[in-house]
Amino acid sequence: MKKIKVGIAGLGRLGRTHAQNLAFSIPGAELVAACSVVAEELEYAKKELGVANTYDDFGQMCCNPEIDAVAIVSPSAFHAEQIKAALKAGKHIFCEKPLAVSEEECIAIEEEVAKHPECIFMLGFMRRYDPSYAYAKKKIKEGAIGKPYLVKATGIDPDAAAEQLLSSGFIPNSGGIMLDMGSHDIDLMRWFLEDEVASIYAVGSVVKYPEFAKQGDMETACATFTFRGGGIGQFHVGRISCHGYHIETEIIGTEGSIRISPVPEKNLAMIYNHTGAVKECVGSFPERFAVAYAEEMKEFIKCVQEGRKPDIDVHDGTAATVVSAAAQKALETGEIVRL
Amino acid sequence: MKKIKVGIAGLGRLGRTHAQNLAFSIPGAELVAACSVVAEELEYAKKELGVANTYDDFGQMCCNPEIDAVAIVSPSAFHAEQIKAALKAGKHIFCEKPLAVSEEECIAIEEEVAKHPECIFMLGFMRRYDPSYAYAKKKIKEGAIGKPYLVKATGIDPDAAAEQLLSSGFIPNSGGIMLDMGSHDIDLMRWFLEDEVASIYAVGSVVKYPEFAKQGDMETACATFTFRGGGIGQFHVGRISCHGYHIETEIIGTEGSIRISPVPEKNLAMIYNHTGAVKECVGSFPERFAVAYAEEMKEFIKCVQEGRKPDIDVHDGTAATVVSAAAQKALETGEIVRL
Amino acid sequence: MKKIKVGIAGLGRLGRTHAQNLAFSIPGAELVAACSVVAEELEYAKKELGVANTYDDFGQMCCNPEIDAVAIVSPSAFHAEQIKAALKAGKHIFCEKPLAVSEEECIAIEEEVAKHPECIFMLGFMRRYDPSYAYAKKKIKEGAIGKPYLVKATGIDPDAAAEQLLSSGFIPNSGGIMLDMGSHDIDLMRWFLEDEVASIYAVGSVVKYPEFAKQGDMETACATFTFRGGGIGQFHVGRISCHGYHIETEIIGTEGSIRISPVPEKNLAMIYNHTGAVKECVGSFPERFAVAYAEEMKEFIKCVQEGRKPDIDVHDGTAATVVSAAAQKALETGEIVRL
Amino acid sequence: MKKIKVGIAGLGRLGRTHAQNLAFSIPGAELVAACSVVAEELEYAKKELGVANTYDDFGQMCCNPEIDAVAIVSPSAFHAEQIKAALKAGKHIFCEKPLAVSEEECIAIEEEVAKHPECIFMLGFMRRYDPSYAYAKKKIKEGAIGKPYLVKATGIDPDAAAEQLLSSGFIPNSGGIMLDMGSHDIDLMRWFLEDEVASIYAVGSVVKYPEFAKQGDMETACATFTFRGGGIGQFHVGRISCHGYHIETEIIGTEGSIRISPVPEKNLAMIYNHTGAVKECVGSFPERFAVAYAEEMKEFIKCVQEGRKPDIDVHDGTAATVVSAAAQKALETGEIVRL
């Protein structure tokens, strides 16, 4: 199989995860270029990952003919433009979620992607590639729970990270809790129910850190989704999980249900001490989804090698953004939003 | 301590649970009378429980001066009238939920109860007396999870009972899934959040047994509640749990959370076999809440002996009925109902 | 059914558990008499349990013709003599484990019991009546794990009780850790494997409280048992479980295995806090086996009413004592003891 | 960091795991050579892993000056000779367990390794690198459970593999169940207790497949180890786990305990169906220890790059073999073996 040469854009926390995977752990991939406006990130790529070519301009990186594919892990606001540039240069594209922050941009991207059928495009909803989620999907396909009719999801960032989150300036530019956190769950619901959202109702609260409200966001949001075919989705996202990073999903069907990770266990060890039997929990998304990030990239590289389209297409990105925006509107207005 | 002599009204499935407890397992109680319009139920009381006095008329039972207290486990439609008669006769009252099926009846009962402060009145929301729920409440009072701001609840009847439920004629007279199943969860939410419901949104579905729809009910219902002080409740009730009787509740606070029974385990044994590691689950509410039914009755008897009011008062019954009715309306209209 | 009138001997911690059950919770039983050399224990029986007849002499209690059965919960050293006296008086007998502290006494008791076939005799190995253990036995009988060939057991008293245990004078008179703690596990192994012990090897240690060694006992003991038919038993008993009272048993068969209580959970609640996901554990044997103590007594009363022999007979008591003594010898000598 | 060029010897099941890791997933490693007497294994290395240099003779592979290190995953009988050859050629060595099958060979290897301090030598007790085991060790070092005094271990191969195992000719050459299966647990006990074995007692059985006995081995073996400083080890190894590949370890200390993997869960999903709540289990050692195999190899490569000795040294291999042999003797004789 041909080695796929990849250039990465963005080397923040998640960018480094992808870059390390591409550099060391993805069969068939070679990380040959990195692009960032932060000089020290490029230093890191050179020194730690042995990346030969570094750029502070995405367009320039795309001009490098050696590069087969780009991994876009830059801030969401740049996605649309970078995807367009990469397609124009004939590169295959792995793009982190969200596809873009507005429906208009998403649709524009969809159109561009459609014009370049020779370029593989994959969106980074990594949860689908987590072994437990992939197992659940496979079991459902095999009929293990009959027809799925309800998905219940929980996604809560660790409380330990809340203060840093509030002081970092992230929140006002995050697109709101529904886009930043809920879009993963929205994608999972669509994936498990194999259907599109029809309506959304949402409520939220700020109880622990009033600063979330001051920055125009919620600390906690609960939403209910109806789907066109009658399915239901219910989720709870938040920022103040005291025990760690809590991602839990249950898919309920007519013949059974599958629940993933009610205890976000760090590993298989349990400590028995004077407080009881204790499972320590994962502390962050890179820890929880380390395998998923690698698996999705393996799949991307394989798709490129085999000229095959991945299961997650560009429209999944649009759908997640559109539904997230509607959920955000539902949250802000307190009214039912129908799509 | 004086033995409390009890007469029971209603000896259906739950009535028998209470009757057996009163006859054999409740310190300080003596089951001396039973009332039913079903002759064989009275036979059962005589032969199996050694009850001396049997009646087919509740008023007559109340005329028995030997009786200190009555346990009303009759169909909901009779509660109002029977409570009134018992109060008039000066009996202490334990009444199964729901208090009554309409707000008007509930308020009328509240007024009657208020006129008889000498009579102890307790409503049968037994979950509050389940050791795990009582433990959760105690821990929360002690500050273990900070300030509770969200309660998530699941209550699903076993699929194995669905066909019998549909053929028994129960559903059309049940008051709807929100009253029949949801009222327990509504009571728990009020109890844990120590607040009153402000608004409700609900959706439902019928996927497995179309007969539920034909009988005017839902198979599954998901609701979101907002509370006056900003708390949120989210629940999922249903009729088709394939693994057994599933009651699960999570109370989420600013410093932690408590989850009760994500696996409704039958006991402490796990079977490892060729399918994996398997926990068998409880099959019914009498099995799951056997201890709770005994504990609530012990508390009732103690309250009578000590002239003390129980934590659950008549207003909790009204609130559960009023909120259930509003939830039912939300479910039927698809609109947000504000209280 | 005839009410069975019971006199109890011994009102220490476990005696009170049995006395309360007999007084309030066992259908068909009536606690009519109590015997103790401790005056305040008799006061307790009168005041709290309403026991009419109290005695400081067991023989005298046996002379009361009203009494149908006796529950012997006195110190082990008195069992032989009290059983003999009760049999002579024609009383049915429930006797706490151990049957007696020496093989000779056990055999003498067996002989006496054999002479009085009209008297029901039951020994208090309550674990067999715990719902989880009874479930395991039932499942095994049904073939759920094929042929059992190995039983692994753990029984550890709470560390929180160790200092009191050491200062109470209990240890030097306990018969050693193998009789005091191991005899329950020995009974379970015999019960699950349906076979008799052939040999024993045991090792022990004292690591945390040197006082155990000073008092002639071990803090921890690990033993391996072979059974005549080829089965194997492996256990670990001890005194310093930091998380609570830990009783765990696994029965391993050719087609599966059953494990009981790897986490000795207090109830069905789990607390998620900054340390992780925490299950609080049971703190003592009365807490862990509350239901088992009631269930075994219900079975005893039923056996008396129905003139039926219980599954646990007097020989089970002898076997437990004989094997415990051999295990103690193995522990003390470090050599394999063959029976 | 310099890329470490590795040649692998042996491409059986475990050999392929290591080879794939070295080819694709180990930062700093490059798989440049493979050696096997099976032609199709070399084909596999060329085609699937892109290995340029293939050999049917280990000595010849060692002559390749490009190679920095060798990974020896050949049958145990070849380890001694291959290690010697590799040391002579100045190669760093990763060698799968067991070090060798006899004490004499082990000591001879130790001597050779001692003569070549310039060569990094690491033995493949991968469990130490499993995240859960590494976490347990770290927690113990931090004092989380006080002083460890007892290690209980279980290691059972899947029943599903038993027939293939028996027909493959593996058993008679495996060195017996104590070396083949027990040596991992022996290493873990030594590692957690930081002490050496003083005595061993063991019993075994053959219940399901008489063929194990015919081939001179046991199906199940239970052993008890005493350690010089008073620690105790207890293990159960076997071949007929019906639910999958079961590796479980508990380390018990004066202030708590840590248990690893009582349910050998396949992933974080739980299926609720008509049989209950089911966790599917891992089916094999490559599945269970996939991460551990990669982590130990990462550590080996890092040690080579940094000129650092790994925590597992050659003596750990000798100790495991010596104690396994003594355990095997204990198992065969039924007598206590003292070291």
Side-chain angles (χ1 to χ4, degrees):
Chain A
M1 277 291 183
K2 178 185 182 296
K3 275 257 173 180
I4 305 303
K5 294 188 164 131
V6 184
I8 193 164
L11 287 159
R13 184 152 73 147
L14 187 47
R16 286 181 190 211
T17 296
H18 285 308
Q20 285 165 15
N21 284 339
L22 284 163
F24 304 127
S25 311
I26 310 295
E30 199 175 338
L31 184 67
V32 298
C35 170
S36 172
V37 293
V38 183
E40 67 182 10
E41 289 185 2
L42 297 180
E43 268 317 284
Y44 163 83
K46 270 188 209 163
K47 288 211 174 147
E48 303 291 324
L49 311 179
V51 173
N53 312 290
T54 57
Y55 305 86
D56 60 4
D57 180 87
F58 185 82
Q60 280 189 308
M61 185 166 79
C62 287
C63 293
N64 182 338
E66 187 199 20
I67 295 173
D68 300 304
V70 292
I72 299 174
V73 202
S74 53
S76 313
F78 301 134
H79 289 184
E81 170 196 350
Q82 292 180 342
I83 290 168
K84 201 169 166 182
L87 288 169
K88 205 171 157 188
K91 309 300 188 198
H92 304 291
I93 299 168
F94 172 89
C95 179
E96 252 309 314
K97 73 102 206 175
L99 180 60
V101 290
S102 75
E103 184 171 1
E104 295 67 34
E105 275 184 317
C106 287
I107 287 170
I109 294 171
E110 279 203 50
E111 286 168 0
E112 286 296 318
V113 169
K115 285 183 207 154
H116 294 273
E118 76 285 5
C119 295
I120 300 298
F121 181 91
M122 181 169 167
L123 198 72
F125 280 126
M126 81 292 180
R127 288 193 199 169
R128 295 194 190 189
Y129 293 91
D130 173 76
S132 301
Y133 282 90
Y135 168 88
K137 183 70 178 179
K138 182 169 165 285
K139 284 284 169 183
I140 293 168
K141 285 279 184 196
E142 291 167 7
I145 63 166
K147 179 182 165 53
Y149 63 88
L150 173 60
V151 177
K152 295 160 77 171
T154 304
I156 329 176
D157 268 353
D159 182 66
E163 297 199 0
Q164 204 276 331
L165 200 67
L166 286 165
S167 62
S168 69
F170 174 81
I171 293 294
N173 300 307
S174 68
I177 195 168
M178 287 299 188
L179 185 65
D180 184 45
M181 302 211 61
S183 58
H184 280 294
D185 297 298
I186 289 165
D187 181 61
L188 290 178
M189 288 174 178
R190 292 180 60 252
W191 188 47
F192 284 124
L193 293 175
E194 298 188 348
D195 199 0
E196 298 297 336
V197 170
S199 77
I200 308 148
Y201 171 77
V203 296
S205 69
V206 176
V207 179
K208 190 167 185 179
Y209 299 100
E211 189 65 24
F212 277 109
K214 286 187 200 151
Q215 297 191 13
D217 206 353
M218 290 290 183
E219 193 178 72
T220 295
C222 294
T224 304
F225 300 78
T226 62
F227 284 74
R228 292 179 189 166
I232 300 172
Q234 213 183 16
F235 81 41
H236 158 216
V237 292
R239 300 286 191 190
I240 55 168
S241 166
C242 295
H243 55 284
Y245 177 65
H246 189 113
I247 303 298
E248 176 178 355
T249 308
E250 185 171 12
I251 309 102
I252 300 166
T254 50
E255 304 300 334
S257 55
I258 299 181
R259 189 180 297 197
I260 300 162
S261 199
V263 175
E265 55 184 39
K266 199 176 193 70
N267 53 46
L268 301 172
M270 173 172 270
I271 299 183
Y272 295 73
N273 62 24
H274 68 284
T275 67
V278 187
K279 292 284 291 191
E280 203 174 325
C281 295
V282 292
S284 66
F285 65 84
E287 182 181 6
R288 169 64 184 87
F289 288 111
V291 173
Y293 286 119
E295 289 298 317
E296 68 173 357
M297 200 57 85
K298 284 182 195 167
E299 172 65 2
F300 173 63
I301 295 298
K302 268 197 207 160
C303 283
V304 171
Q305 287 179 324
E306 302 169 8
R308 177 168 55 78
K309 288 203 179 303
D311 281 345
I312 304 182
D313 66 16
V314 64
H315 179 67
D316 291 314
T318 303
T321 293
V322 170
V323 177
S324 296
Q328 189 68 26
K329 190 176 158 199
L331 180 63
E332 287 169 9
T333 62
E335 298 300 329
I336 303 162
V337 173
R338 298 180 208 276
L339 292 177
Chain B
M1 278 288 182
K2 180 184 179 299
K3 277 254 171 183
I4 305 304
K5 295 189 164 128
V6 184
I8 193 164
L11 287 158
R13 184 153 72 150
L14 186 48
R16 286 179 191 212
T17 295
H18 286 307
Q20 286 165 14
N21 284 340
L22 285 164
F24 304 127
S25 311
I26 310 295
E30 199 174 338
L31 184 66
V32 298
C35 171
S36 172
V37 292
V38 183
E40 66 181 11
E41 289 186 1
L42 297 179
E43 268 316 283
Y44 163 82
K46 271 186 209 167
K47 289 209 174 148
E48 303 291 325
L49 310 180
V51 173
N53 312 290
T54 57
Y55 304 87
D56 60 4
D57 180 85
F58 185 82
Q60 280 190 307
M61 185 166 77
C62 288
C63 292
N64 183 337
E66 188 199 17
I67 295 173
D68 301 303
V70 292
I72 299 175
V73 202
S74 53
S76 313
F78 300 134
H79 289 184
E81 173 194 347
Q82 292 181 343
I83 289 167
K84 201 170 167 181
L87 288 169
K88 204 170 158 190
K91 309 301 188 198
H92 304 290
I93 300 168
F94 171 90
C95 179
E96 254 307 316
K97 73 103 208 177
L99 181 59
V101 291
S102 75
E103 183 172 1
E104 295 67 33
E105 275 185 317
C106 287
I107 287 169
I109 294 171
E110 279 202 52
E111 287 168 1
E112 287 295 319
V113 169
K115 286 183 205 155
H116 294 273
E118 76 284 6
C119 294
I120 301 299
F121 182 92
M122 180 169 169
L123 197 72
F125 280 126
M126 81 292 178
R127 288 192 200 169
R128 293 195 190 188
Y129 295 90
D130 174 76
S132 302
Y133 283 91
Y135 168 87
K137 182 70 178 178
K138 184 172 164 282
K139 284 284 169 185
I140 292 167
K141 285 280 183 195
E142 291 168 7
I145 64 166
K147 180 182 166 54
Y149 63 87
L150 172 60
V151 177
K152 295 159 78 171
T154 304
I156 328 177
D157 269 352
D159 182 67
E163 296 198 0
Q164 203 277 331
L165 200 68
L166 286 166
S167 63
S168 69
F170 173 82
I171 292 294
N173 301 306
S174 68
I177 196 168
M178 287 299 188
L179 185 64
D180 184 46
M181 302 211 61
S183 59
H184 280 293
D185 296 298
I186 288 165
D187 181 61
L188 290 178
M189 287 175 179
R190 291 181 61 252
W191 188 46
F192 283 123
L193 294 176
E194 297 188 348
D195 200 0
E196 298 298 335
V197 170
S199 77
I200 308 148
Y201 172 78
V203 296
S205 68
V206 177
V207 179
K208 188 166 186 179
Y209 300 101
E211 191 63 25
F212 277 109
K214 285 186 198 151
Q215 298 191 11
D217 208 352
M218 289 290 184
E219 196 179 70
T220 295
C222 294
T224 305
F225 300 78
T226 62
F227 284 73
R228 291 177 191 167
I232 301 172
Q234 214 183 15
F235 82 40
H236 157 214
V237 293
R239 300 287 191 188
I240 55 168
S241 166
C242 294
H243 56 284
Y245 177 64
H246 189 112
I247 303 298
E248 176 178 355
T249 309
E250 185 171 13
I251 310 100
I252 301 166
T254 49
E255 304 301 333
S257 54
I258 299 182
R259 189 180 298 199
I260 300 162
S261 199
V263 175
E265 56 183 36
K266 198 177 195 66
N267 53 46
L268 301 172
M270 174 171 269
I271 300 184
Y272 296 72
N273 62 26
H274 69 283
T275 67
V278 187
K279 292 284 289 192
E280 203 174 324
C281 295
V282 292
S284 66
F285 65 84
E287 182 181 4
R288 169 64 184 89
F289 288 111
V291 173
Y293 286 118
E295 288 299 318
E296 69 174 356
M297 200 56 86
K298 283 182 195 167
E299 172 66 1
F300 173 64
I301 295 298
K302 268 197 208 160
C303 283
V304 171
Q305 287 179 326
E306 300 169 9
R308 178 168 53 81
K309 290 205 179 300
D311 281 345
I312 304 183
D313 66 16
V314 64
H315 179 67
D316 291 314
T318 303
T321 294
V322 169
V323 177
S324 297
Q328 190 69 27
K329 190 179 157 196
L331 180 62
E332 288 169 8
T333 62
E335 298 299 331
I336 303 162
V337 173
R338 299 182 207 277
L339 291 176
Chain C
M1 277 290 182
K2 179 184 182 297
K3 276 255 171 181
I4 305 303
K5 295 191 163 121
V6 184
I8 193 164
L11 287 158
R13 185 153 72 149
L14 186 48
R16 287 180 191 211
T17 295
H18 285 308
Q20 286 165 15
N21 283 339
L22 284 163
F24 303 128
S25 310
I26 309 296
E30 199 175 337
L31 184 66
V32 298
C35 172
S36 172
V37 293
V38 183
E40 66 181 9
E41 288 185 2
L42 297 179
E43 269 316 283
Y44 163 83
K46 271 186 210 164
K47 288 211 174 147
E48 303 291 324
L49 311 179
V51 172
N53 312 289
T54 57
Y55 304 87
D56 58 5
D57 180 87
F58 186 79
Q60 280 189 308
M61 185 167 77
C62 288
C63 292
N64 182 338
E66 189 199 18
I67 294 173
D68 300 305
V70 292
I72 299 174
V73 203
S74 53
S76 312
F78 301 134
H79 289 183
E81 171 195 349
Q82 292 180 343
I83 290 168
K84 201 169 168 183
L87 288 169
K88 203 170 158 189
K91 309 301 187 198
H92 303 291
I93 299 167
F94 172 90
C95 179
E96 253 308 315
K97 73 102 205 175
L99 180 60
V101 290
S102 75
E103 183 172 2
E104 295 67 35
E105 275 184 319
C106 288
I107 287 170
I109 294 172
E110 278 202 51
E111 287 167 0
E112 286 296 318
V113 169
K115 286 182 206 157
H116 295 272
E118 75 285 5
C119 295
I120 301 299
F121 182 91
M122 180 170 169
L123 198 72
F125 280 126
M126 82 292 178
R127 288 192 198 168
R128 295 195 189 187
Y129 295 90
D130 173 76
S132 301
Y133 283 90
Y135 168 88
K137 183 70 179 179
K138 183 169 164 284
K139 283 284 169 185
I140 292 168
K141 285 280 184 195
E142 291 168 7
I145 62 166
K147 179 181 167 52
Y149 62 88
L150 171 61
V151 176
K152 294 159 78 171
T154 304
I156 329 177
D157 268 353
D159 182 66
E163 297 198 0
Q164 203 278 330
L165 199 68
L166 286 166
S167 63
S168 69
F170 173 82
I171 292 294
N173 300 306
S174 68
I177 196 168
M178 287 299 189
L179 186 65
D180 184 46
M181 303 211 60
S183 58
H184 281 294
D185 297 298
I186 289 165
D187 182 61
L188 290 178
M189 287 174 178
R190 292 180 61 250
W191 188 48
F192 283 124
L193 293 176
E194 298 189 347
D195 199 0
E196 297 298 335
V197 169
S199 76
I200 308 149
Y201 171 79
V203 295
S205 68
V206 178
V207 178
K208 189 168 185 177
Y209 299 101
E211 190 64 23
F212 277 109
K214 286 186 199 152
Q215 298 191 12
D217 206 353
M218 290 290 184
E219 195 179 71
T220 294
C222 293
T224 303
F225 300 79
T226 62
F227 284 75
R228 292 178 189 166
I232 300 173
Q234 212 183 18
F235 81 40
H236 157 215
V237 293
R239 301 287 190 188
I240 55 169
S241 165
C242 294
H243 55 284
Y245 176 65
H246 189 112
I247 303 299
E248 176 178 356
T249 308
E250 185 171 13
I251 310 100
I252 300 166
T254 49
E255 304 300 334
S257 55
I258 299 181
R259 188 181 298 199
I260 299 163
S261 200
V263 175
E265 56 184 36
K266 199 177 194 67
N267 53 46
L268 301 172
M270 175 173 268
I271 300 183
Y272 295 73
N273 62 25
H274 68 283
T275 67
V278 186
K279 292 284 291 191
E280 203 174 325
C281 295
V282 292
S284 65
F285 65 83
E287 182 182 5
R288 169 64 184 86
F289 288 112
V291 173
Y293 286 119
E295 290 298 317
E296 68 173 355
M297 201 56 86
K298 284 182 194 166
E299 172 65 1
F300 172 64
I301 295 298
K302 268 197 207 159
C303 284
V304 171
Q305 288 179 324
E306 301 169 7
R308 177 167 53 80
K309 290 203 178 302
D311 280 346
I312 304 184
D313 65 16
V314 64
H315 180 67
D316 291 315
T318 303
T321 293
V322 170
V323 176
S324 296
Q328 190 68 28
K329 189 178 158 196
L331 181 61
E332 288 169 8
T333 62
E335 298 300 329
I336 302 162
V337 173
R338 299 181 206 276
L339 291 177
Chain D
M1 277 289 182
K2 178 183 181 300
K3 276 255 172 183
I4 305 303
K5 294 187 165 130
V6 184
I8 193 164
L11 286 159
R13 186 153 73 148
L14 186 48
R16 288 181 190 210
T17 296
H18 285 307
Q20 286 164 16
N21 284 339
L22 284 164
F24 303 128
S25 312
I26 310 296
E30 199 176 339
L31 184 66
V32 298
C35 170
S36 172
V37 293
V38 183
E40 66 181 10
E41 288 185 3
L42 297 179
E43 267 317 282
Y44 163 82
K46 271 188 210 166
K47 288 210 174 148
E48 302 292 324
L49 310 180
V51 172
N53 312 291
T54 57
Y55 304 87
D56 60 5
D57 180 86
F58 185 81
Q60 280 190 307
M61 186 167 78
C62 288
C63 292
N64 182 338
E66 186 198 21
I67 294 174
D68 301 304
V70 292
I72 299 175
V73 202
S74 52
S76 312
F78 300 135
H79 289 185
E81 171 194 348
Q82 292 180 343
I83 290 168
K84 202 169 166 181
L87 288 169
K88 205 170 156 189
K91 309 301 187 196
H92 304 291
I93 300 169
F94 171 90
C95 179
E96 254 308 314
K97 73 101 208 176
L99 181 60
V101 291
S102 76
E103 185 172 0
E104 293 67 33
E105 274 185 318
C106 287
I107 287 171
I109 294 171
E110 278 202 53
E111 286 168 359
E112 286 296 319
V113 169
K115 286 184 207 153
H116 294 273
E118 76 285 5
C119 294
I120 301 297
F121 181 90
M122 181 169 168
L123 198 71
F125 280 126
M126 80 292 180
R127 289 191 198 169
R128 295 194 190 189
Y129 294 90
D130 174 76
S132 302
Y133 282 91
Y135 168 87
K137 182 71 178 179
K138 182 169 164 287
K139 283 284 168 185
I140 292 168
K141 285 281 183 195
E142 291 168 8
I145 63 166
K147 179 183 166 53
Y149 63 88
L150 173 59
V151 176
K152 294 159 78 171
T154 304
I156 328 177
D157 269 353
D159 181 66
E163 297 199 0
Q164 204 276 330
L165 199 68
L166 286 165
S167 63
S168 70
F170 173 81
I171 292 294
N173 301 306
S174 68
I177 195 168
M178 287 299 189
L179 185 65
D180 185 45
M181 302 211 61
S183 58
H184 280 294
D185 297 297
I186 289 165
D187 181 61
L188 289 178
M189 287 174 178
R190 291 180 61 252
W191 188 47
F192 283 124
L193 293 176
E194 298 188 347
D195 200 0
E196 298 297 335
V197 170
S199 76
I200 308 150
Y201 171 78
V203 295
S205 68
V206 177
V207 179
K208 190 167 186 178
Y209 300 100
E211 191 63 24
F212 278 109
K214 286 187 199 150
Q215 298 191 12
D217 207 353
M218 289 289 183
E219 194 178 72
T220 295
C222 293
T224 305
F225 300 78
T226 61
F227 284 75
R228 291 178 191 167
I232 301 172
Q234 214 183 14
F235 81 40
H236 157 215
V237 292
R239 302 286 191 188
I240 56 169
S241 166
C242 294
H243 56 284
Y245 176 66
H246 189 112
I247 302 299
E248 176 179 355
T249 309
E250 185 172 11
I251 310 100
I252 300 167
T254 49
E255 304 301 334
S257 55
I258 299 181
R259 189 181 297 199
I260 300 162
S261 201
V263 175
E265 55 184 38
K266 199 178 194 66
N267 53 46
L268 301 172
M270 174 172 270
I271 300 184
Y272 295 72
N273 62 26
H274 69 283
T275 67
V278 187
K279 292 285 290 192
E280 203 173 325
C281 295
V282 292
S284 65
F285 64 85
E287 183 181 3
R288 169 64 184 88
F289 288 111
V291 173
Y293 287 118
E295 289 299 318
E296 67 173 357
M297 200 57 86
K298 283 182 195 166
E299 172 66 2
F300 172 64
I301 295 298
K302 268 197 207 159
C303 284
V304 171
Q305 287 178 325
E306 300 169 9
R308 177 166 54 80
K309 290 204 179 301
D311 280 345
I312 304 183
D313 65 15
V314 63
H315 180 67
D316 291 314
T318 303
T321 294
V322 169
V323 177
S324 297
Q328 190 68 28
K329 189 177 158 198
L331 181 61
E332 288 169 8
T333 63
E335 299 300 329
I336 303 162
V337 173
R338 299 182 207 277
L339 292 176

